[in-house]
Amino acid sequence: MLVNRHNQKNKDLLCGLYEKHRDSLLVLGIALSNDVNIAEDALHDVFVEFARRIQEFKLTGSMKGYLSVCVANRVRDMLRVNRNRERILDEQTGRSESSNTSDPGKLIICNEQLQLLSSALVQLPYEQREVIALRMHGQMRFGAIAKSLGISANTAKGRYRYGIEKLRSILNGKL
Amino acid sequence: MSYSKKIKNLFTQSNIKVNNQVNDRIIKDSLKALDESHILQPSEIEIETWRIIMRKPITKIAIAAIIIMAVFMSVNYFGGSVDIATVAWGGVLDKVEQIPTVIFDMTAEITISEDEKLVLPSKNYVAEGIGTRSDIYLNSQLSIIKYRLPMEKAAYEIRLDRKEYSRFEIQDEQASDDPRVWLEMILSGDYTELGRNTINNIVVEGISVIRPDIVGEKGIMRLWVDVQTNLPVMIEVEMVGMEAGQMRQQRFVMENFEWNTEIDPDIFVPDIPEDFTQRKIR
């Protein structure tokens, strides 16, 4: 009885969090990957993993920040896996490596702002991309970003600064 | 308005809804995962009981005494110092990330049929701040040279066997053929310790990781690390992957690592003979 009630409470919590953050986390995933399929898969994996560990979960900062970091980490893993798989297949067959640009079929059709943002962000190294996204989208402090990524606050600030500078030149005149 | 504010506005004005199909899948899978997490497995119950026992102060004192006695007895029994070197798994990646260069061999084995395997050995060079180079051999002949040069934002593939080359743009700074990429994937997973072994006369300790998201349901990754230096000695990846339209067993072994070795920067300059033709990227 007690277990069932506890279980129902966790289900409500999980569904509530999902409802609240899903769309915003999808935007984050797309901004980081420029690929709606990757973003959806990342969202899926993050919530499934969260559900699996909900009993031992202890929140120490903002929920949005926590979930944003989880999505950013998952997107990073997925991009890496895709690159490695491509590379392995290329080596085996001697096929040409693709230029890492997204398959046109995977490009997203959504609002102009998101398209502009994700196509600009994808031109930055992932390390800079994630700091900018976590700062601007997750509204996280540099200290919290640094802690979650295992880097120093100065490194996080540096990545942010360089990234913004690059975005300025990429988006020159478009904003 | 500051430029950062304008970029921030892009985030806030971007809106997209998760489609219903994806929603259903996420909710269904998450609730299933939640239900499964509530079912305690027998082994977990045993672990929980063990934790309760271990929490008792008297148990801790008794265990500490047994450990001290065991170490003392083994030192005396073997008549000398005990080799207590062991791998600090948490420090492996940190250490490797401090090292700017590495040379290693990789062998890719693809099962074509029951009695046929395609074996592709390669020599690989990684230099931080410069890039990577892979010399790939087909039938013992150097046939393909690949360069990945993040500073130039370009990659090259020279097909010596076909007198062709191709050049393409790349966007990411970190080369995917850097063994650190694999190390990170292995060490970030829930690994199982494999104990001690000897590889090329080096005493190593190993771990294995099953990560279906990377190597599929039947895949496995293993890492063997030198107990003395805490540096990787061998990385093994076994997976079933799509190859020429079929799922085939594939095995990759990275070994003979030369960490922090001097590499002539000139080897990263693509050397394309004049009579080679540029191949169009498919």
Side-chain angles (χ1 to χ4, degrees):
Chain A
M1 181 85 169
L2 201 63
V3 171
N4 281 344
R5 204 181 304 156
H6 184 60
N7 196 3
Q8 189 55 47
K9 200 176 150 196
N10 282 340
K11 277 183 183 172
D12 294 344
L13 173 70
L14 182 69
C15 291
L17 283 173
Y18 178 70
E19 293 286 327
K20 187 176 176 189
H21 296 289
R22 62 182 179 189
D23 295 338
S24 148
L25 292 171
L26 185 67
V27 168
L28 175 69
I30 293 171
L32 287 169
S33 65
N34 196 28
D35 187 322
V36 75
N37 296 333
I38 288 181
E40 286 173 348
D41 286 348
L43 188 65
H44 171 271
D45 293 356
V46 164
F47 273 94
V48 170
E49 192 55 29
F50 181 72
R52 209 169 275 151
R53 295 169 185 269
I54 202 163
Q55 295 192 89
E56 61 203 58
F57 176 73
K58 280 187 189 120
L59 184 64
T60 51
S62 93
M63 194 66 214
K64 186 179 180 185
Y66 170 78
L67 290 171
S68 298
V69 170
C70 293
V71 168
N73 287 341
R74 189 69 196 118
V75 169
R76 188 204 297 143
D77 282 350
M78 292 170 95
L79 291 174
R80 211 169 262 171
V81 169
N82 284 355
R83 283 201 304 272
N84 285 334
R85 281 190 179 154
E86 274 175 28
R87 188 246 175 184
I88 287 164
L89 285 174
D90 288 336
E91 267 194 4
Q92 291 155 10
T93 59
R95 276 177 293 179
S96 272
E97 191 168 347
S98 75
S99 62
N100 216 1
T101 50
S102 300
D103 178 343
K106 286 183 185 171
L107 285 178
I108 48 168
I109 310 288
C110 42
N111 71 34
E112 270 180 37
Q113 282 85 358
L114 184 51
Q115 245 178 357
L116 184 63
L117 180 68
S118 60
S119 59
L121 277 172
V122 82
Q123 294 180 55
L124 305 184
Y126 192 83
E127 291 76 13
Q128 292 173 10
R129 218 185 299 169
E130 70 184 344
V131 173
I132 289 174
L134 292 175
R135 174 85 177 152
M136 293 194 161
H137 180 271
Q139 294 169 350
M140 292 172 72
R141 292 171 184 276
F142 284 118
I145 295 172
K147 200 175 167 192
S148 65
L149 298 177
I151 55 176
S152 71
N154 280 341
T155 305
K157 283 180 192 168
R159 287 180 185 175
Y160 178 81
R161 201 172 52 244
Y162 285 123
I164 292 289
E165 277 309 307
K166 279 189 201 167
L167 280 182
R168 187 196 291 270
S169 64
I170 293 166
L171 293 169
N172 189 23
K174 291 178 190 164
L175 286 182
Chain B
M1 193 193 293
S2 75
Y3 209 79
S4 335
K5 190 111 184 166
K6 286 181 183 173
I7 295 169
K8 196 173 180 177
N9 282 347
L10 275 184
F11 273 105
T12 51
Q13 288 161 7
S14 295
N15 54 62
I16 184 169
K17 298 257 176 239
V18 180
N19 78 44
N20 290 340
Q21 216 180 337
V22 175
N23 257 338
D24 292 347
R25 181 168 66 102
I26 294 174
I27 290 172
K28 189 179 139 219
D29 292 353
S30 299
L31 292 178
K32 191 177 165 215
L34 185 66
D35 282 339
E36 284 169 0
S37 75
H38 283 92
I39 304 164
L40 276 184
Q41 300 299 315
S43 60
E44 286 176 307
I45 295 167
E46 280 165 22
I47 288 167
E48 196 51 41
T49 313
W50 176 243
R51 278 197 193 121
I52 292 165
I53 294 168
M54 288 300 287
R55 270 192 215 121
K56 291 180 186 289
I58 189 72
T59 313
K60 287 178 184 170
I61 294 165
I63 297 281
I66 290 167
I67 291 169
I68 291 165
M69 277 175 68
V71 171
F72 179 77
M73 283 164 70
S74 63
V75 168
N76 284 290
Y77 182 80
F78 293 106
S81 65
V82 181
D83 179 12
I84 53 163
T86 184
V87 173
W89 294 105
V92 174
L93 193 60
D94 287 345
K95 187 164 185 183
V96 164
E97 278 179 343
Q98 305 300 319
I99 296 175
T101 59
V102 61
I103 299 176
F104 65 99
D105 294 326
M106 182 163 99
T107 308
E109 256 183 39
I110 304 131
T111 305
I112 307 292
S113 63
E114 257 182 39
D115 47 10
E116 192 185 357
K117 275 183 183 170
L118 173 65
V119 180
L120 297 171
S122 61
K123 188 93 183 164
N124 300 273
Y125 306 83
V126 179
E128 203 166 275
I130 302 179
T132 63
R133 168 180 167 151
S134 300
D135 293 353
I136 304 162
Y137 293 80
L138 296 173
N139 302 322
S140 307
Q141 290 284 317
L142 177 59
S143 303
I144 305 166
I145 305 176
K146 286 188 166 196
Y147 302 88
R148 199 172 177 95
L149 308 168
M151 300 291 280
E152 204 186 304
K153 291 199 166 184
Y156 294 83
E157 183 183 295
I158 302 173
R159 293 294 304 248
L160 301 173
D161 51 341
R162 294 183 191 164
K163 292 198 163 191
E164 287 179 340
Y165 75 97
S166 44
R167 181 190 187 281
F168 27 90
E169 283 182 15
I170 55 168
Q171 287 168 352
D172 293 288
E173 278 181 354
Q174 190 172 18
S176 58
D177 36 4
D178 186 330
R180 285 175 292 196
V181 172
W182 290 101
L183 287 175
E184 211 174 320
M185 289 194 285
I186 294 172
L187 290 164
S188 62
D190 290 331
Y191 54 75
T192 305
E193 299 208 11
L194 300 172
R196 289 206 170 198
N197 205 337
T198 305
I199 298 174
N200 298 332
N201 295 321
I202 300 168
V203 179
V204 293
E205 280 179 9
I207 54 172
S208 69
V209 178
I210 295 170
R211 286 194 58 175
D213 55 327
I214 297 170
V215 291
E217 293 292 336
K218 292 179 182 171
I220 190 164
M221 298 188 280
R222 290 186 205 92
L223 167 65
W224 298 96
V225 169
D226 185 333
V227 297
Q228 295 294 338
T229 64
N230 224 41
L231 285 169
V233 170
M234 183 183 277
I235 300 169
E236 299 172 81
V237 180
E238 290 173 19
M239 60 195 278
V240 177
M242 186 62 80
E243 174 60 38
Q246 276 184 40
M247 296 301 279
R248 296 178 198 277
Q249 182 71 39
Q250 302 174 3
R251 182 165 188 264
F252 306 91
V253 178
M254 288 162 252
E255 60 189 331
N256 301 325
F257 289 98
E258 295 172 52
W259 297 100
N260 214 11
T261 189
E262 207 170 297
I263 304 178
D264 181 355
D266 287 349
I267 71 156
F268 295 99
V269 179
D271 182 17
I272 306 167
E274 280 184 4
D275 59 337
F276 277 37
T277 53
Q278 188 164 7
R279 188 160 50 116
K280 284 187 180 170
I281 300 164
R282 274 180 281 168

